[in-house]
Amino acid sequence: MENSTLEQPAAAIEGAASVDFIRALINEDNRTGRFGGRVHTRFPPEPNGYLHIGHGKSICLNAGIPRDYSGKFNLRFDDTNPVKEEEEYVESIVADVRWLVPEFTDEPLFASDYFEQMYLWAEDLVQKGVAYVDDLSAEEIRQYRGTLTEPGKDSPYRNRSIEENLDLFRRMRAGEFPDGSRVLRAKIDMSSPNLNLRDPVMYRILHASHHRTGDAWCIYPMYDWAHGLEDSIEGITHSICTLEFEDHRPLYDWYLDQLGIYHPQQIEFARLNLTYTVMSKRWLLRLVQRGHVSGWDDPRMPTLAGLRRRGYTPEAIWDFAERIGVAKANSMVDLGLLEYCIREDLNARALRAMAVLRPLRVVIENYPEDQVEEFEIPNHPQRPELGTRRVAFSRTLYIEQEDFMEEPPAKFFRLAPGREVRLMNAYYITCVSVVKDESGAIVELRCTYDPASRGGVTPDGRKVKGTLHWVSAAHAEDAEVRLYDTLFLKENPYDVPEGQEFTANLNPESLQVLTGCKVEASLAAAAPGERFQFMRQGYFCGDVKDSRPGALVFNRTVGLKDTWAKIQQQ
RNA sequence: UGGGGCGUGGCCAAGUGGUAAGGCGACGGACUUUGAAUCCGUUUACCGUAGGUUCGAAUCCUACCGCCCCAGCCA
């Protein structure tokens, strides 16, 4: 650094406690002036599915680096295979990226916009004698490729003249040949121990209509050929991808070197794996197609669309990405960490409300029949600046069924016969009797209240061990609440018993729909997507698709930590 | 068996020759009108194994073991 004559980017994070290995490489490149101090990354999805949390990690990496280095970020669609790609996917991907990276306001870029330039460069390689048209069938090419331990052998068409190759390649583009009849290949080394270098295919013939270029092309570039060119055209400095492309880097470099054009640095990192979740597009697609979920944005899905609908915030995902770090070791991150991140974010910002999910009627016998009081309750106990709201209280209320036990075990300190508890911000009540139906089920609690405990504190200062949330029966709004659990029962969903379908690991209780929930009146005005903490329960948000005034639907984003549940398990 | 990677406490992850950060989790305790949050404390690191180099190694060398990726005209 002391020898560097280059100006360091103002925002460079030199000297920070520790940086990931990619930022360390960038720091080194800036030190040596390799890219003139420029930092330019890209996120290059193929529009063949929805983005998931694993892509989220990559987006946070690729968009986070420019944030740190005052660099640039491109969203570029790698749309080189028309038979797999769809417009719906490009729209969802743009929406997801903009959600996660609000400062990204550029228009997305498309590899398909570079097809002509790529073609010209391919002709260039033909002219240079390092690319040839091969007439072998797909099956023959596979056989000629050899195996992991045996070298391949040259195609009989490998030594055609440049003129013939050029003619054939041009006729490939012109549409003179059927699909699969010929390919353009790079002439590298059929005995390379790296199979990617055994004369890789650059172009295949595909008489397919592309979602953006229509029928303009009938030959389409392969990933390895296209990707480095895309990066080069855009002036990308650091082309970050996942580990499985490490073997492809020599090829990435070879193409750019043969062409003699601007050459970015490819860097590989380990993709994200999360317990209890699948990240492969193939499995996610199956879940959608077979109706195991309601769609790509089902709140149980690990897609960004699903997480967003579930109530996750972009901030929580960024925090998660920072906490898991970036490295080259394959790893399996505990789902609990993602949940920790959203809890932490929502704890700070979500307004509190009271909602009774499984109502149990409580009648306060000594409370006047027609009296209604309004309590002013803080929207966030730790943040008074967030204001208060008024909540009605009356003789007939609902509390949570699980907040009462007729025969409470030792550590249960909620309501029980003869026991006094606090109704949050309201009064102390004591259970005097239990009303049951013919089947013996508890249908109502009869209680008394202490008028002196108004607001939830008593003049004599006596303590109660339990504080319950509640809702006034006459003033409550009905709501549907959707509780979510993991989609799979196993930490590793791919661990399917021999001979069984992937459905064997599906969690039949991943969705629990609760109807007849009673929520405080203020929630009637909840905007779709608005997030709340239902006191003592968890974080919830109005469902963007299904919630309407008068027919409220809330999704549970994540439950609060539940020490009582843990005690019960012991 | 060919090539490319990776192996640090339950899960992530710093560390790049000077004697093992941090986060999450777990377990205690304080506080508490959310059994939440907050605060305090504890937790098991013979750094995959075995040798070697060195005054000194997780860091360098050698061998071995384990895991992941590669034989698409997918990306």
Side-chain angles (χ1 to χ4, degrees), chain A residues 50-63:
Chain A
Y50 276 57
L51 261 26
H52 53 64
I53 181 71
H55 295 111
K57 173 185 179 181
S58 176
I59 293 168
C60 291
L61 215 210
N62 279 297

Side-chain angles (χ1 to χ4, degrees), chain A residues 359 398 475-480 515-519 550-554:
Chain A
Y398 291 112
H475 304 88
E477 288 281 327
D478 283 309
E480 174 180 318
T515 54
C517 304
K518 301 290 186 179
V519 306
L552 300 170
V553 178
F554 292 99

Side-chain angles (χ1 to χ4, degrees), chain A residues 270-487:
Chain A
R271 60 171 0 127
L272 170 68
N273 295 296
L274 253 192
T275 56
Y276 298 103
T277 101
V278 299
M279 224 72 95
S280 75
K281 281 182 180 174
R282 187 163 142 266
W283 277 53
L284 293 175
L285 185 62
R286 275 205 270 178
L287 287 168
V288 172
Q289 288 179 335
R290 302 196 193 176
H292 294 113
V293 294
S294 63
W296 287 100
D297 68 344
D298 185 299
R300 292 167 293 179
M301 289 284 273
T303 51
L304 294 176
L307 290 166
R308 178 166 62 237
R309 188 171 169 195
R310 172 93 167 238
Y312 273 78
T313 60
E315 290 81 1
I317 289 170
W318 276 88
D319 183 38
F320 175 68
E322 274 165 35
R323 286 172 187 272
I324 59 178
V326 181
K328 297 194 68 161
N330 289 314
S331 61
M332 177 77 79
V333 176
D334 193 328
L335 214 212
L337 183 61
L338 214 211
E339 295 182 334
Y340 168 85
C341 292
I342 187 58
R343 279 196 196 100
E344 183 173 73
D345 187 29
L346 260 20
N347 176 51
R349 65 207 289 191
L351 300 188
R352 263 103 254 229
M354 292 195 288
V356 176
L357 271 33
R358 298 176 181 84
L360 171 58
R361 189 163 56 245
V362 170
V363 176
I364 303 174
E365 297 183 330
N366 61 337
Y367 194 87
E369 285 284 352
D370 301 317
Q371 182 171 311
V372 174
E373 287 181 82
E374 280 200 333
F375 289 105
E376 186 158 322
I377 299 181
N379 288 326
H380 190 126
Q382 281 81 42
R383 297 181 61 191
E385 74 275 17
L386 261 23
T388 62
R389 67 191 186 286
R390 301 183 75 80
V391 179
F393 182 92
S394 65
R395 178 179 156 96
T396 304
L397 312 164
Y398 291 112
I399 65 167
E400 210 67 59
Q401 285 172 22
E402 62 175 21
D403 283 341
F404 174 82
M405 282 186 101
E406 201 167 13
E407 292 170 35
K411 288 176 179 167
F412 183 84
F413 48 80
R414 277 114 91 144
L415 196 59
R419 187 181 289 181
E420 183 174 57
V421 297
R422 170 168 41 229
L423 292 182
M424 196 179 282
N425 293 294
Y427 289 111
Y428 280 19
I429 61 167
T430 302
C431 176
V432 296
S433 64
V434 179
V435 181
K436 298 179 182 176
D437 64 14
E438 6 359 292
S439 70
I442 298 170
V443 295
E444 182 179 296
L445 264 26
R446 308 294 291 191
C447 297
T448 58
Y449 84 116
D450 176 3
S453 64
R454 193 170 198 287
V457 286
T458 60
D460 64 10
R462 73 176 185 277
K463 301 283 187 187
V464 286
K465 292 186 78 176
T467 298
L468 313 184
H469 59 281
W470 52 274
V471 99
S472 168
H475 304 88
E477 288 281 327
D478 283 309
E480 174 180 318
V481 172
R482 299 171 181 171
L483 305 180
Y484 302 106
D485 196 358
T486 57
L487 222 28

